Amino acid sequence: MTVTGLAAANHPRPGTEGNGLTENESATLWSHDADDYTNESTYSQHYGEHRTALQQLANGTDITFTRPPKTAATWTKHDFRDLHASGPETSLHPENADLEDGTLIADAHATIFAAQPTTRAHLASGETRTYLAPDGTLRGLVDYRVRYPSTSADWSLTKHQISRVWLTQDGDTIASSTGTQTPTLDYQLQNDRTTTLTLHATIEVRIEQTTTVNGNTVSTMTETDSITVTDSLSGSVYNLAAYPYYATYPNGDAGVAILQSRPWQGYTLTETGSARVRGVWRFYTARHTGWDTLVTSTRNGETRTQSDAIPVSVHAYPSRIGPVAEPVRTGPEIVETWGINRSSPTPTLGEDVHIDVVNHSYTTTYGVAVRAEQVDRQALHVAGIVRGVNATIFQPQAGSTRHLRESSLTATVLSQNVSAATVRLELRDNQTGAPIDLSQEQRGRPLAQSPTGYIAIGDQHVETNRSGVAVVTLTQPGIYTAQYQPESWLGANPAYVRTQASVRWHPLGTLSGWFNLVFTTGWKLLPFVVMFYAGQRLLRMFGLDRFQNP
């Protein structure tokens, strides 16, 4: 690898500037870099220093997180201090800035640097959405240059200023500040729907031309100009409200389920956070590529330089890992998830992002139900995909906990022959002895759309009738396990836990089967018997059988 390749970095080399982060934290930020790994000896020869193990890993791939990291906001806050606006003769702006001109004002703009905390969620192919925390901070850059009238007379600049900077949400002012070219505005958003934040700045310029004769002022001409520039960010205000539902299993285990209508991270079940469950969403951080290059414009033209200020954002994506409960072997068990099928969002990630995103359609985890030995309802903590946003939990009414029951399943061979067996399955409530009818939805107000209960045996799914009985035909011999897969306790009352029963079928289990075995075997051996008998007759015919015995 050449030194040129090393120098063509898309972001500052870790450890080269103060950014509020450790070297390892800084190394995890850059998911839009090229991931062209530089071996340690080449790196050391070029820079005269060594990297940590995490820095080396981040040089060859991208680092992901199980929760929205704070590193993006910390970096952005510190790096924003390196953004310095220019004087009245020069306008500084990113390449994608929306520039406006007035009479005396040119290349004016107000460009949003970052709004945080936010998370850009990659939902499906061609679909992303920016989720904004209700309380956040917006940073921006406002700049312009003064353009003088094209006359031979001399003009002097008597006043230029940014008279007002303010932030609106859907047209309503929610924050403002005195005139500054690098405004920082704290805001509180007022709703939980799709919204638009707009940064406004009013720029004012006054110039003056004075005519003198023999040192005396003869006339004074003044010209003024004013322009308001804007930049907008659209997204959804990210508020969460959690409505948990609880169940008790026959052995004393606890069940809990939480459903949301938008992406969310997961929840913890105990005060210590040792037992927790996560949905399909994972996170990475990446720079805003629109700020890679800054343009400096003057009356003589434009120059481009690499930006010293780079905002970094948090991104959420559906991971191939899928929902996970922790601790893995001794922690909660995920019993059901709910959601809708969506296409892979891979095309929305952009170039040079190497993460474990799903590469096919996936199911969103809008709802997750778990079974655990213990659930501390008062310590239940539901986290969102935007950093710092946790759900307000509304506990259900007392007495609403559903108590799951045990059931009994029996499997009996009714009849069998050499080609098939008829098996009778019977499912009953262990507590009352009443039959469990799976042919219709069980009574109770469904809390989530989930499949109805069924009995699985072989490759068949069957439902019992009003008598709790189902009859199936098996055509392949063997040992079969019939397993009752109950409807989710969120949609059934009464609700049950899984149970199973085994049944064996083989053709030799009947008299006709033995007869068929003997008949089939004899029929297959008949040609060999005929050949043996014919051979013996030929030997006797030609008198060769006397040589067989000495």
Side-chain angles (χ1 to χ4, degrees):
M1 176 175 288
T2 64
V3 173
T4 303
L6 292 172
N10 289 323
H11 55 81
R13 184 166 52 87
T16 58
E17 62 178 64
N19 50 44
L21 303 175
T22 66
E23 291 183 349
N24 280 340
E25 288 174 332
S26 298
T28 66
L29 294 173
W30 313 108
S31 288
H32 277 314
D33 62 359
D35 291 331
D36 293 331
Y37 181 73
T38 304
N39 64 57
E40 188 62 9
S41 60
T42 303
Y43 183 92
S44 178
Q45 290 176 5
H46 180 69
Y47 290 115
E49 61 183 32
H50 294 281
R51 299 170 295 178
T52 66
L54 185 58
Q55 288 174 337
Q56 294 182 53
L57 178 64
N59 181 216
T61 188
D62 295 322
I63 308 298
T64 60
F65 307 86
T66 58
R67 65 188 63 182
K70 187 179 180 180
T71 51
T74 302
W75 171 277
T76 301
K77 176 181 177 181
H78 284 77
D79 226 38
F80 183 65
R81 299 170 183 172
D82 294 332
L83 190 61
H84 302 292
S86 55
E89 309 297 328
T90 305
S91 175
L92 181 70
H93 57 86
E95 287 187 303
N96 62 346
D98 186 11
L99 303 179
E100 294 191 27
D101 294 333
T103 304
L104 303 177
I105 301 171
D107 297 330
H109 73 97
T111 305
I112 296 174
F113 185 75
Q116 290 173 332
T118 59
T119 295
R120 184 183 180 189
H122 298 264
L123 303 174
S125 178
E127 183 179 357
T128 63
R129 187 170 302 164
T130 298
Y131 290 102
L132 303 103
D135 297 333
T137 301
L138 184 140
R139 294 177 173 85
L141 172 65
V142 181
D143 207 359
Y144 59 94
R145 65 181 179 87
V146 177
R147 180 169 57 185
Y148 295 93
S150 56
T151 64
S152 58
D154 292 332
W155 293 85
S156 61
L157 180 64
T158 59
K159 179 182 179 182
H160 72 98
Q161 66 176 2
I162 299 171
S163 59
R164 185 186 177 202
V165 176
W166 71 102
L167 181 67
T168 62
Q169 179 189 6
D170 302 326
D172 297 327
T173 300
I174 58 174
S176 62
S177 74
T178 56
T180 173
Q181 291 186 272
T182 52
T184 298
L185 302 169
D186 295 328
Y187 58 80
Q188 290 184 327
L189 304 181
Q190 304 302 318
N191 57 52
D192 57 357
R193 63 179 187 272
T194 300
T195 194
T196 299
L197 297 183
T198 302
L199 174 65
H200 307 254
T202 297
I203 303 167
E204 297 178 352
V205 169
R206 184 175 65 198
I207 60 175
E208 187 176 89
Q209 181 189 50
T210 302
T211 303
T212 60
V213 176
N214 299 324
N216 298 316
T217 301
V218 176
S219 63
T220 300
M221 180 181 297
T222 300
E223 289 194 16
T224 62
D225 192 13
S226 176
I227 191 172
T228 297
V229 287
T230 63
D231 189 23
S232 295
L233 170 67
S234 295
S236 295
V237 183
Y238 192 72
N239 274 318
L240 288 181
Y243 298 86
Y245 302 94
Y246 299 106
T248 300
Y249 286 82
N251 69 342
D253 283 358
V256 60
I258 295 178
L259 293 87
Q260 289 284 348
S261 61
R262 55 178 60 189
W264 56 292
Q265 180 189 341
Y267 54 94
T268 57
L269 307 176
T270 58
E271 186 174 0
T272 62
S274 57
R276 55 192 177 273
V277 60
R278 296 196 306 270
V280 73
W281 298 100
R282 302 294 186 274
F283 307 89
Y284 70 92
T285 54
R287 76 187 192 280
H288 186 336
T289 56
W291 285 86
D292 284 356
T293 301
L294 290 179
V295 180
T296 302
S297 64
T298 66
R299 61 186 298 180
N300 297 320
E302 296 181 345
T303 57
R304 283 167 168 76
T305 57
Q306 183 175 340
S307 176
D308 289 330
I310 304 174
V312 177
S313 303
V314 176
H315 296 249
Y317 68 96
S319 168
R320 290 194 297 267
I321 299 174
V324 174
E326 297 176 340
V328 176
R329 284 183 290 272
T330 60
E333 173 193 0
I334 298 177
V335 295
E336 196 161 0
T337 61
W338 299 270
I340 59 176
N341 290 327
R342 311 204 71 165
S343 59
S344 169
T346 299
T348 69
L349 300 181
E351 297 181 356
D352 298 322
V353 178
H354 304 108
I355 54 176
D356 60 326
V357 63
V358 293
N359 50 17
H360 49 74
S361 62
Y362 73 101
T363 300
T364 60
T365 46
Y366 289 151
V368 181
V370 300
R371 176 178 180 173
E373 292 184 0
Q374 181 182 2
V375 174
D376 187 345
R377 299 185 184 184
Q378 302 306 315
L380 198 65
H381 178 83
V382 181
I385 65 168
V386 178
R387 181 181 59 83
V389 179
N390 302 311
T392 301
I393 299 176
F394 295 89
Q395 296 291 351
Q397 296 180 353
S400 62
T401 299
R402 295 192 172 175
H403 297 273
L404 279 66
R405 300 182 186 180
E406 291 182 338
S407 57
S408 62
L409 177 63
T410 57
T412 307
V413 177
L414 292 180
S415 62
Q416 57 182 328
N417 53 37
V418 295
S419 59
T422 302
V423 175
R424 180 181 188 271
L425 303 171
E426 184 174 6
L427 184 63
R428 290 188 173 272
D429 187 316
N430 252 13
Q431 181 176 329
T432 65
I436 299 176
D437 181 7
L438 301 179
S439 62
Q440 57 184 355
E441 291 186 2
Q442 299 178 34
R443 293 187 303 275
R445 181 174 63 88
L447 305 177
Q449 296 295 328
S450 58
T452 57
Y454 62 88
I455 298 175
I457 182 169
D459 58 355
Q460 301 182 60
H461 287 181
V462 298
E463 297 176 342
T464 56
N465 57 22
R466 292 183 179 180
S467 301
V469 174
V471 177
V472 296
T473 299
L474 306 176
T475 58
Q476 296 294 328
I479 299 176
Y480 288 84
T481 298
Q483 187 171 73
Y484 169 39
Q485 300 284 356
E487 182 181 1
S488 168
W489 55 264
L490 286 173
N493 191 16
Y496 298 92
V497 294
R498 296 177 184 177
T499 188
Q500 63 184 33
S502 297
V503 65
R504 179 195 303 266
W505 168 63
H506 196 280
L508 296 182
T510 65
L511 181 61
S512 60
W514 281 105
F515 175 79
N516 183 70
L517 176 63
V518 172
F519 178 80
T520 302
T521 302
W523 182 260
K524 292 181 178 179
L525 291 176
L526 181 60
F528 298 99
V529 174
V530 171
M531 291 177 61
F532 179 77
Y533 178 75
Q536 291 293 327
R537 295 292 296 175
L538 287 173
L539 288 174
R540 293 193 182 97
M541 183 182 299
F542 293 103
L544 298 176
D545 57 339
R546 66 178 180 272
F547 297 108
Q548 294 180 353
N549 299 308

